[in-house]
Amino acid sequence: SMGKINTNSNVYTIVYATVLVIIVAFLLALANSALKPRQDANVALSQKKQILASINERNLGDKQSEETYNALISDAQVGDLTFYIAKKDGKELYILPVRGAGLWGAIWGYVALNDDRNTIFGTYFDHESETPGLGGEIKTEKFQNQFIGKHILDANGQFVGIGIMKAGQTADGMEQVDAISGATITSKGVETMIQTSVQQ
């Protein structure tokens, strides 16, 4: 006669563990595929909120953000570059994505230009891992609002960007905003990011 299964044998333990791992892996895969659309939607919504912030449409709820975005913003492509066009208060604004490096990791954001493609209408910057109270300040409206009304071209129409300077320093031929004190590298990172991303 067949004996009872020996639950103390190594084979039993290995088979049991293997079956358990397969079940858990299956359940995780199922949960992941169920959550993925929601995660993707959250990422897309977050991006829309960041783009809206660059045209000074801030602190909107989720539904309001979707509606405002759909009402104001469309995307456009030039070569490999995707940018966004906003129609706001009868004006056409050009919103350019910017990416760069801070002190500790990636920084990114959006710079909105008036239809002269020179005057900054608004900005939004964010970061992966800058120090709170220091480099992390690039995320604040106080820092971002300094860029409003600044020009990225010089008097001859050449692209120069925006200088981000410590108090008392002057940027050669550039309009400038104040660097975040104690966060020179992150501040310069924003300057370089605008330089390299917007110039295209």
Side-chain angles (χ1 to χ4, degrees), residues 99-101 162 164 187-197:
R99 289 198 72 81
I162 306 287
I164 302 179
S187 298
K188 284 290 166 203
V190 174
E191 180 181 306
T192 306
M193 169 168 81
I194 291 172
Q195 204 88 40
T196 54
S197 303

Side-chain angles (χ1 to χ4, degrees), residues 101-104 107 130 135-136 138 180 183-191:
L103 175 59
W104 301 116
I107 56 177
E130 298 309 293
I138 66 169
I180 297 158
T184 309
I185 291 174
T186 309
S187 298
K188 284 290 166 203
V190 174
E191 180 181 306

Side-chain angles (χ1 to χ4, degrees), residues 64-132:
Q64 208 184 354
S65 294
E66 286 283 0
E67 287 166 3
T68 307
Y69 186 93
N70 294 339
L72 299 182
I73 293 172
S74 56
D75 54 6
Q77 195 107 19
V78 173
D80 292 341
L81 185 75
T82 300
F83 64 100
Y84 303 87
I85 297 171
K87 297 259 197 298
K88 189 176 180 193
D89 306 330
K91 285 203 301 191
E92 200 162 79
L93 307 172
Y94 298 92
I95 305 167
L96 307 171
V98 295
R99 289 198 72 81
L103 175 59
W104 301 116
I107 56 177
W108 65 89
Y110 296 92
V111 173
L113 298 174
N114 282 330
D115 54 11
D116 63 1
R117 300 182 194 205
N118 178 16
T119 314
I120 294 180
F121 181 84
T123 64
Y124 175 85
F125 303 118
D126 206 342
H127 63 90
E128 202 169 57
S129 45
E130 298 309 293
T131 315

Side-chain angles (χ1 to χ4, degrees), residues 9-185:
S9 79
N10 288 343
V11 174
Y12 175 84
T13 308
I14 291 165
V15 170
Y16 182 82
T18 306
V19 169
L20 212 57
V21 166
I22 290 168
I23 291 169
V24 169
F26 176 74
L27 291 174
L28 284 173
L30 209 61
N32 189 34
S33 65
L35 291 172
K36 183 127 181 53
R38 192 185 308 168
Q39 287 164 343
D40 291 349
N42 285 344
V43 168
L45 180 61
S46 169
Q47 184 187 22
K48 287 175 181 175
K49 285 181 173 178
Q50 292 178 24
I51 291 168
L52 285 169
S54 77
I55 59 166
N56 307 314
E57 294 283 343
R58 295 174 186 263
N59 310 318
L60 306 174
D62 290 358
K63 192 169 180 301
Q64 208 184 354
S65 294
E66 286 283 0
E67 287 166 3
T68 307
Y69 186 93
N70 294 339
L72 299 182
I73 293 172
S74 56
D75 54 6
Q77 195 107 19
V78 173
D80 292 341
L81 185 75
T82 300
F83 64 100
Y84 303 87
I85 297 171
K87 297 259 197 298
K88 189 176 180 193
D89 306 330
K91 285 203 301 191
E92 200 162 79
L93 307 172
Y94 298 92
I95 305 167
L96 307 171
V98 295
R99 289 198 72 81
L103 175 59
W104 301 116
I107 56 177
W108 65 89
Y110 296 92
V111 173
L113 298 174
N114 282 330
D115 54 11
D116 63 1
R117 300 182 194 205
N118 178 16
T119 314
I120 294 180
F121 181 84
T123 64
Y124 175 85
F125 303 118
D126 206 342
H127 63 90
E128 202 169 57
S129 45
E130 298 309 293
T131 315
L134 294 170
E137 295 293 299
I138 66 169
K139 212 178 158 162
T140 63
E141 286 184 49
K142 180 174 175 239
F143 178 72
Q144 293 167 18
N145 287 344
Q146 295 187 87
F147 290 83
I148 296 172
K150 302 283 182 193
H151 300 93
I152 58 170
L153 307 177
D154 66 12
N156 306 318
Q158 294 299 306
F159 176 84
V160 286
I162 306 287
I164 302 179
M165 300 290 162
K166 286 186 191 163
Q169 288 184 324
T170 52
D172 218 19
M174 287 184 194
E175 291 186 24
Q176 61 194 72
V177 301
D178 296 333
I180 297 158
S181 60
T184 309
I185 291 174

